[in-house]
Structures are given as structure tokens and as C-alpha cells.
Amino acid sequence: MAEFVRLDSSTSRHTMDKSITLPPDEIFRNLENAKRFAIDIGGSLTKLAYYSTVQHKVAKVRSFDKATKVNIPLYEISVQEEVTARLHFIKFENAYIETCLDFIKDHLVNTETKVIKATGGGAHKFKELIERKLGLKVDKEDEMTCLIKGCNFVLRNIPHEAFVYAKHADSEFRFQTTQPDIFPYLLVNIGSGVSIVKVESEDKFERIGGSSIGGGTFWGLGALLTKTKRFDELLQLASKGQHTSVDMLVKDIYGGSYGSLGLTGDLIASSFGKSATADKEFSKEDMAKSLLHMISNDIGQLACLYAKLHNLSRVYFGGFFIRGHPVTMHTITYSINFFTKGEVQALFLRHEGYLGAIGAFLKGAEEDNPNQYSWGENYAGSSGLMSVSPDMNPMQRARSGTFDMLEMDRLERQLVNLPLLQDPSSYIPDTMDLTEDALAREYWLYCFEEALDGVVKRAVASQPDMPEAAERAEKFRQKYRHKLQTLRHQPFAYGSLTVRSLLDTREHCLNEFNFPDPYSKIKQNENDIALKYYQKAVKSLEELSWEERQFALVRGVLAGNVFDWGAKAVSEMTLGPQIWHLGLIYLFIFFSSERPWLVDSYDQWLERLRGPPHKCALFFVDNSGVDIILGVIPFVRELLSRGTEVVLASNSGPALNDVTNGELQILTERIAAMDPVIQAGLREDRLTLVQSGSSSPCLDLSRLDKVLAQVVRERQTDLVIIEGMGRAIHTNYYAMLSCESLKMAVIKNSWLADRLGGKLFSVVFKYEVPAGKPSQGSAAVTPS
């Protein structure tokens, strides 16, 4: 990340190089609520971290008094103010530090802290300036300790933080999945020199080696050779150079490869070797390239030797020498691949420039126990990784003044892996990586952009009593459209680009402009209508034979799942109130999905049901209304009747028309009042409602509420049911679990259906038993 926020003291406006300007308060956001600061000052860059409280609106549901009339709504919805914690990280050049400090001081109101934590080589140099400008005491922290703390923090809290760089691949950035255990690892920090640190736990690390030949060497020798004083300009020269003009290769000595030693002819035999004998001038570009290779190969070999010595396969590279530059990342990667024959990968970090600032902040916040919470990147306020390839269109590099900013929100609960993942280290939630699939990427970006008008209308309609809603909705439109345009040119900006990340970014942007639940009133109306048909639906099911009932229950879940306002094919339907009649719903699904379905494991599922009941089923539910009330609950009712305990996992926060835990609590209570099976399940603690920890239409099984994971263990869950297109197809379609699983969805997108070999409204019914687990189906057990 070579471009940073600049503050022009004469205009008090921000620019990035010569790009568009932004008001300062869009860079230093929420300063009036700042509670704590930390700063990391390097040789050329200052990284500022601050913690603030953010006030935003949330939609709350409250059940009406049971004694009130039947024709009133099931519950009331209120929009309330809530305060959450946010971390802000900003990067700027040291040349602008006085102007930035002036701006911060002018906009601080009653900050609670009297101390600012500082780290980095410049912390001593600027100590007096900071204390004078901000009126805060500077408390210096150990640079390496801060670096390690920051590294641990981003690896634990930001999915797709680490990546492999592949210069000539279709996707130059290949992001790694979050590991359940991040330790041990090797951190190679390349600043002026090189420090190699073995990290074994949160607080246990050791500097096991290093070198004086590092970034400072490249910069210093480069300046002597090329008379170029700026580091980035030196790298730019190197990107255009041909090192073979300066370096002596194996073939220059032997006339070709040295086969018996396994040395190819193109291998560098001697860096700058030709300069001693060739009677000519060498270009600045060629000398810079040769120097870059020499330094990178030396660091790469050193890192490999230490990785092998300590038996470590994860090696992260950071420091000002890296800073997201493709040229440096490519040379380091090449060196690592060569010396380890591909056994060790060079890993880089999206936010490595902020590690010291994050660590310094954490040192100052230890009394608040920040590590007891989970944190999540706020896509609405983060700028993302940016390619700085020299051959890139310059216009693509000047899209926004907000690059090199990071915001993270403190989550209400700790997030952990689902204990039933077969191999958490290889789990990938997303079915399709849009960074690597250009056709899919273009389709989905177009899809989300086309849907923007509808989302804006829905947001305004959800707040009819707020006249300023239209203005806020327009700001949301502009921000999200800008995000989509950014991702069109830089699909790797926030890690792997997926349908899930596009949906989550949209939710973050809606929340930023105080639209916490645009579908709240639609959900309320659908829930009220669907409840009126519940008893009739159950009565119809009870009149069927056992085998007919099992098929009707599955078809009911699928029918209910059609009603998804996140799907264009559904939201554009002009269906009258009669569609809510249960008979028409079944008719609709019958004509659209006759068996065999696109993915059809129903026969195996039916055979399993003839066997002994499952001990406990974990059911990840989807939409409000018909889906949960007339589809899921009757299915759950049957499981309870079989003797299976059921855990219903629903969203902690709103997303599209998905049912939230708060709404589901009220719905289940109302259903229990008219259904003794559900009532007994709740009373006997055989039916449990738990929030998932998610506020997304999709599902990441590696980031679930810790309480849910605990319930799964305690109940000895042996069946996981995942319902809906977002949770079972866009995510988790290929997820491997250690117990039986059932994934059910109706494909409500024609492009996706075609990609999977089906058509619009094709059905996916995927029942899976983990390898080595014996089938529980038995014809000896014949239910009545």
C-alpha cells in the first residue's frame, strides 16, 4: 500500500496523490468520541490508532401483551440508539504530522485518556511535538512487542488477512482462510534491517535471528547507485529494470545450466557480477532491479533457513520494505519458493502497516481486556488493499482519498468455530471466489449495482416518519456504488471477493446511514399472515401417512424458502395476497421442482428417518414469514416428535428479510400457545433458540457465537441442517462436517442455477454422511 492520506495544511483538505479531495472529518471520523489513542511513527510514515464510541440506530422488537386483541400485529418495532466501540487506523506521511495533530486537537472533546501510547523509531523524535500539540503524555512501548500483538490481533480477527502473492496468476492475491490456531509462526520484519521472530503464543515470542542487510540497505545503496532519494521511486525504477544486464547468471559462466548441481541457466550466480567486467554504463532501472533481487534473495534464504531450523511452515513478511509493493512481494515470494522448493509459502498481510499501531493501542487498553471480544472489519469505513502495479492504468489508482484506512467494530459476542467442522483449518465458507472467476465477478457486481435502486426505495419506505431518510438513503447509494466500482477494478481490496462479502458490505453501508433493518415492517406483516395458516398446515400434515408427511415437510421447507426478498426473481413478483394461501404455495413449488431435483438425496434421507432418531439437530434458519412459520417449524415439530432435541440458530442482527433471534423468540412463543408439541419442546428444554452471532444473509461456520458452540457440544449434536440460498449454496455448499448434514435451498437466481447445471427454482436437497460413519437407516424400524 504505497499511497497514503495526505493533509494539505493550506487547504485543510485530504488528497491521495493527485486524486479527489475529501473533508478531514471523513478521514478522522468520530474524533469527538475518541477515548484512547496510540501512534506508531516510522522513518517516513505515521500510523495513528484511536478508539471511539459510535452511536447508531438499531431495530428492536417487543412482543405485545398476550391479553390484547387478536387482530393487532404480533410485535412492535422501535428504532433505538445504541453505542458500540470502534477502532480507527489512519496512515499519513511524517511531513504532515503537525497538521494532522492540529486537526485532531481541534476536534477532541473531553477525551478520557491523558496518555497516548507510542511506538516506532520516531516516537522519541516526535515526543515533544505530540505532547505539546495534544496535551497528552507520551508513553513509549517496545516496538517488537507492539508488532507481535498487532499481528496476532489481525490474524485472529480479520478473515482473509493473510495472502500469497502470485504476480503472473489470474488473481495476483490468493487469500488464506483464517486458522483456528494461529500459532506458531515466523514473522520476518523488514525495516532498515531484518528481524526474524518466532511467535509461539499471545505473549511468548523470541527474536531468533536477523540481518543488517534489509530495507535500509536497498534504499541506501539504491540512492548511491541511482541518485534517487525516494524509496517508492526506487522501487518504480526496479519494476522497469532488467537485472540480467547487471547480474552474472549461471549460463554466463557455464554456457547453460549446471545440471549436476540442479542449477538452471537463468539463476543468478553473482549479483552485480557483470559490472566488474563490462565496459559500459548501466541504467538506473537495471541497477535498482539487480539490487532488489540481491536483497530479497538474501532475506528469503535467511527466512527459509530459520523456518526449517524451527520447523515452521507459516512465514509472514512485513515492514516498510514490503508495504504492499508487488515488486518486493514478487521477489520475496520467488526467493522463498526457490529455497524451499515450494514447501514454505511467503505470506503477506493486508494491514501489515498498522501492526505496530494496533499493538500499541492494545497495550494501552489492557485493562479493558480487548482480547476477550471478537472484532470485525467495518467495510463501510475501511479502504482496502490496493494494487500499485506499475503497468496499472493511473486512473485506477486515483479513485478515492480514503485508501489506507481501516475501521474495526467490537462485536457483542466472541466468535469461534463450529465444533462440528471436519477440518477447521481447511474450511472455506464461500462456494465461489469472485477474485479468481472474472465472469462470475462481473455478473454479481452488475447484479448488486442493478439492485441498488430497489434497496434505496426499501430503506426509505422502512422509515416513513423520518423526512431525512431519503437524503441518508442517497448517501448510502453513493457509498455502496463507489464500493462496487472499487471492487470492479480491485476485486481483492478486502480479501477474497464473494457474494457474502458483497452482501456484508451492503449491510455495513446501510447501518452507517442508520438503516438498521429496512425489511422490518415487511417481516412483521409476513409473520402475521403466515401465523394465521399455521394450525391449518399442521392439521393437514397430521392427516398424511408417515412417508407422505416426510415428503410434505421437506417440500414445505423448500416452498417457504422461495419467499426471499434478497432474490431478484422473488422481489419482482407481483403476487397478490392469495399467494399466502398454503395450498397455492405447495402448488407453486410442485410445478417448479418435480423430482429428481438438481441435487437430490431425498431417498437417502427418508431411509435415514426409518432408523433411530438423531440426538440433537442444529438448524440454521433463513427467512421470516412463510419460511420459518410454515416451513421450518413443522419440520422441527416432526423432529421433536421423533425424540430429537432441536437447536434453532438465527441471526443476531437483521439482514434482508432473515428472521432474527429476537423475532424468532416472539414467533415461537406465539406458536407454542397454539401447538402443544412446540410448547412441550420449550418447557422441557428440548427446543432451544440460540443466536448465531451473524448479521449476514450468509453463514461463516468459523465465526459463530461462542454460546452456540457450547450448546452444540453439550447437546452432543449429530445433525446440522442449513437452509437457504445464502447459507447453503453461496456459502457451505462444500462444507464438510463431522456429523450428518442436510442442506436445503431453492435456487432463485437464473445465472447461478445455470452455473450449477439447473434452471430457475431448481431444488438442492443435499444429505451427507461423513466418510467412515455407518448409515443409521434401518428397515427394521417402521414408524406408524
Side-chain angles (χ1 to χ4, degrees):
M1 289 178 275
E3 298 171 288
F4 1 90
V5 173
R6 291 181 176 179
L7 193 71
D8 189 326
S9 57
S10 62
T11 61
S12 291
R13 304 285 286 182
H14 291 272
T15 65
M16 184 192 334
D17 290 347
K18 296 180 180 179
S19 64
I20 63 173
T21 59
L22 281 176
D25 55 4
E26 283 194 34
I27 303 298
F28 297 96
R29 306 203 308 166
N30 301 310
L31 268 173
E32 67 277 7
N33 297 318
K35 307 296 181 187
R36 187 178 290 112
F37 285 89
I39 198 163
D40 174 18
I41 309 175
S44 59
L45 293 178
T46 294
K47 285 79 67 177
L48 178 73
Y50 63 95
Y51 162 94
S52 73
T53 52
V54 181
Q55 214 168 25
H56 64 98
K57 297 186 185 301
V58 293
K60 297 284 187 180
V61 295
R62 184 178 70 85
S63 179
F64 280 109
D65 188 346
K66 297 185 187 120
T68 55
K69 295 178 182 179
V70 178
N71 60 354
I72 68 165
L74 177 64
Y75 52 80
E76 65 175 341
I77 306 160
S78 62
V79 175
Q80 302 174 13
E81 293 286 342
E82 196 171 86
V83 176
T84 56
R86 179 171 291 172
L87 285 174
H88 305 258
F89 302 97
I90 300 155
K91 187 184 297 184
F92 49 86
E93 292 180 355
N94 288 355
Y96 300 92
I97 190 169
E98 287 204 51
T99 310
C100 288
L101 291 173
D102 280 335
F103 182 85
I104 293 167
K105 181 183 179 183
D106 291 344
H107 290 78
L108 279 179
V109 180
N110 299 324
T111 180
E112 294 177 1
T113 183
K114 301 301 179 186
V115 175
I116 182 169
K117 292 287 184 180
T119 191
H124 178 76
K125 177 181 177 182
F126 292 100
K127 179 177 183 293
E128 185 180 331
L129 175 68
I130 296 169
E131 291 183 335
R132 175 165 48 85
K133 291 279 187 182
L134 297 185
L136 302 176
K137 181 178 181 296
V138 172
D139 187 3
K140 196 171 184 308
E141 293 289 342
D142 177 69
E143 189 172 358
M144 192 56 65
T145 301
C146 291
L147 194 69
I148 300 303
K149 275 190 172 293
C151 192
N152 293 341
F153 185 83
V154 297
L155 288 174
R156 186 182 295 108
N157 288 286
I158 303 182
H160 299 149
E161 171 65 26
F163 62 88
V164 172
Y165 183 75
K167 182 180 179 181
H168 300 297
D170 291 338
S171 174
E172 45 182 333
F173 299 87
R174 292 179 181 171
F175 295 93
Q176 307 295 294
T177 55
T178 306
Q179 298 291 322
D181 186 4
I182 63 173
F183 305 110
Y185 65 84
L186 201 67
L187 179 64
V188 182
N189 192 56
I190 313 171
S192 299
V194 179
S195 286
I196 299 176
V197 185
K198 178 183 179 182
V199 184
E200 297 182 75
S201 69
E202 184 64 42
D203 299 308
K204 185 180 179 183
F205 62 89
E206 177 188 4
R207 186 183 187 276
I208 56 175
S211 172
S212 61
I213 301 172
T217 314
F218 173 68
W219 199 349
L221 284 178
L224 291 173
L225 290 168
T226 68
K227 309 304 179 188
T228 301
K229 295 294 185 182
R230 289 182 61 85
F231 184 81
D232 290 341
E233 289 177 12
L234 191 60
L235 281 173
Q236 190 77 354
L237 287 175
S239 69
K240 298 174 182 177
Q242 294 292 329
H243 75 98
T244 54
S245 301
V246 183
D247 293 340
M248 187 176 290
L249 308 181
V250 169
K251 64 184 178 185
D252 294 325
I253 300 174
Y254 298 103
S257 61
Y258 195 152
S260 61
L261 293 181
L263 304 177
T264 64
D266 292 329
L267 197 66
I268 298 173
S270 174
S271 296
F272 288 92
K274 289 180 180 176
S275 61
T277 56
D279 189 17
K280 66 172 185 177
E281 291 290 322
F282 296 98
S283 72
K284 293 180 179 180
E285 291 82 0
D286 293 348
M287 288 189 291
K289 188 61 167 283
S290 175
L291 182 61
L292 180 65
H293 275 298
M294 183 179 79
I295 302 294
S296 298
N297 285 338
D298 183 67
I299 294 170
Q301 186 172 29
L302 197 61
C304 290
L305 290 171
Y306 278 105
K308 287 185 174 181
L309 182 64
H310 293 270
N311 196 29
L312 296 171
S313 58
R314 279 179 281 188
V315 183
Y316 299 102
F317 289 85
F320 92 86
F321 183 70
I322 304 294
R323 263 191 16 226
H325 281 289
V327 177
T328 55
M329 291 190 297
H330 174 64
T331 52
I332 289 284
T333 298
Y334 179 88
S335 175
I336 290 287
N337 287 342
F338 175 80
F339 288 114
T340 69
K341 296 180 171 61
E343 292 178 5
V344 175
Q345 286 186 317
L347 294 166
F348 305 95
L349 302 172
R350 285 201 290 136
H351 301 103
E352 64 86 18
Y354 293 116
L355 301 186
I358 292 171
F361 171 82
L362 293 173
K363 286 288 289 182
E366 284 176 342
E367 64 270 24
D368 294 336
N369 298 316
N371 281 326
Q372 77 179 9
Y373 301 97
S374 288
W375 298 75
E377 183 173 3
N378 178 4
Y379 296 131
S382 290
S383 55
L385 186 68
M386 190 176 193
S387 175
V388 287
S389 300
D391 54 350
M392 192 171 202
N393 185 330
M395 290 304 294
Q396 294 179 9
R397 299 179 59 192
R399 287 188 314 280
S400 165
T402 61
F403 274 88
D404 270 14
M405 290 165 55
L406 167 65
E407 287 186 0
M408 297 186 71
D409 290 327
R410 194 180 77 186
L411 307 180
E412 293 181 13
R413 48 197 53 82
Q414 263 194 300
L415 303 182
V416 298
N417 281 299
L418 176 69
L420 298 171
L421 282 174
Q422 198 171 87
D423 180 13
S425 64
S426 63
Y427 168 69
I428 299 173
D430 302 288
T431 304
M432 197 178 300
D433 187 344
L434 304 184
T435 53
E436 298 183 359
D437 191 330
L439 288 175
R441 176 170 71 247
E442 188 52 42
Y443 170 78
W444 285 110
L445 287 171
Y446 167 78
C447 219
F448 277 87
E449 196 158 12
E450 190 182 35
L452 200 45
D453 286 345
V455 177
V456 168
K457 287 177 184 175
R458 189 80 62 194
V460 174
S462 70
Q463 299 179 359
D465 301 327
M466 298 184 182
E468 83 290 351
E471 182 183 346
R472 284 186 284 112
E474 186 55 37
K475 289 180 179 178
F476 154 74
R477 182 208 304 272
Q478 292 172 7
K479 181 137 198 176
Y480 188 59
R481 177 173 284 151
H482 172 74
K483 294 284 182 183
L484 294 175
Q485 290 169 349
T486 296
L487 291 166
R488 184 166 273 114
H489 297 295
Q490 310 285 351
F492 42 76
Y494 302 102
S496 287
L497 179 62
T498 64
V499 173
R500 176 170 62 98
S501 69
L502 288 170
L503 285 164
D504 289 351
T505 302
R506 189 168 70 184
E507 293 298 324
H508 289 187
C509 291
L510 280 167
N511 280 313
E512 180 179 357
F513 295 103
N514 280 323
F515 293 106
D517 194 356
Y519 290 82
S520 57
K521 288 182 170 56
I522 292 175
K523 289 188 290 181
Q524 183 182 36
N525 185 49
E526 291 182 356
N527 288 332
D528 286 336
I529 295 172
L531 273 173
K532 294 175 183 177
Y533 293 100
Y534 178 78
Q535 287 177 302
K536 184 177 180 180
V538 169
K539 187 172 184 290
S540 299
L541 289 164
E542 287 179 336
E543 291 171 353
L544 300 174
S545 68
W546 180 84
E547 190 162 324
E548 288 174 329
R549 188 164 69 250
Q550 305 317 307
F551 190 51
L553 286 165
V554 167
R555 185 165 270 178
V557 173
L558 296 169
N561 192 243
V562 170
F563 296 95
D564 181 355
W565 289 101
K568 180 184 175 186
V570 176
S571 62
E572 289 184 349
M573 287 180 183
T574 54
L575 299 171
Q578 71 273 16
I579 190 60
W580 300 109
H581 189 281
L582 186 63
L584 287 182
I585 295 169
Y586 276 110
L587 194 63
F588 179 82
I589 199 69
F590 177 79
F591 282 118
S592 64
S593 60
E594 289 190 49
R595 291 188 67 201
W597 295 321
L598 179 61
V599 178
D600 196 335
S601 306
Y602 178 75
D603 291 338
Q604 292 90 327
W605 171 248
L606 185 65
E607 181 63 22
R608 172 63 185 87
L609 291 180
R610 296 185 191 279
H614 296 89
K615 177 164 180 42
C616 178
L618 169 63
F619 200 136
F620 288 99
V621 301
D622 194 6
N623 307 310
S624 291
V626 172
D627 191 350
I628 185 70
I629 295 168
L630 301 180
V632 171
I633 297 297
F635 193 95
V636 167
R637 189 179 188 274
E638 183 76 8
L639 290 173
L640 291 169
S641 299
R642 281 172 55 81
T644 300
E645 296 179 7
V646 178
V647 176
L648 286 181
S650 52
N651 270 13
S652 299
L656 296 174
N657 66 318
D658 294 357
V659 65
T660 64
N661 183 257
E663 292 160 348
L664 187 55
Q665 296 278 355
I666 296 170
L667 290 174
T668 309
E669 184 181 322
R670 180 62 63 92
I671 291 170
M674 52 184 171
D675 186 340
V677 175
I678 299 299
Q679 188 176 66
L682 291 172
R683 185 178 63 249
E684 297 163 9
D685 199 27
R686 293 188 299 109
L687 175 58
T688 308
L689 277 58
V690 184
Q691 50 189 321
S692 66
S694 171
S695 298
S696 169
C698 296
L699 180 65
D700 183 350
L701 297 176
S702 68
R703 287 174 70 80
L704 294 177
D705 190 345
K706 190 176 181 179
V707 174
L708 173 58
Q710 185 178 339
V711 170
V712 165
R713 289 192 189 94
E714 290 173 352
R715 299 291 173 104
Q716 298 176 34
T717 302
D718 54 354
L719 172 66
V720 173
I721 304 171
I722 305 177
E723 179 217 4
M725 200 165 76
R727 291 167 178 79
I729 295 181
H730 288 314
T731 52
N732 299 302
Y733 189 71
Y734 298 115
M736 302 298 293
L737 301 174
S738 60
C739 68
E740 295 173 53
S741 63
L742 183 57
K743 299 166 188 174
M744 294 185 279
V746 177
I747 304 175
K748 293 148 289 192
N749 177 281
S750 55
W751 182 91
L752 181 61
D754 183 65
R755 174 63 75 97
L756 294 175
K759 57 185 179 181
L760 190 64
F761 298 118
S762 290
V763 165
V764 170
F765 188 90
K766 196 176 187 184
Y767 170 61
E768 295 175 301
V769 179
K773 182 179 174 65
S775 173
Q776 297 294 318
S778 172
V781 180
T782 308
S784 58

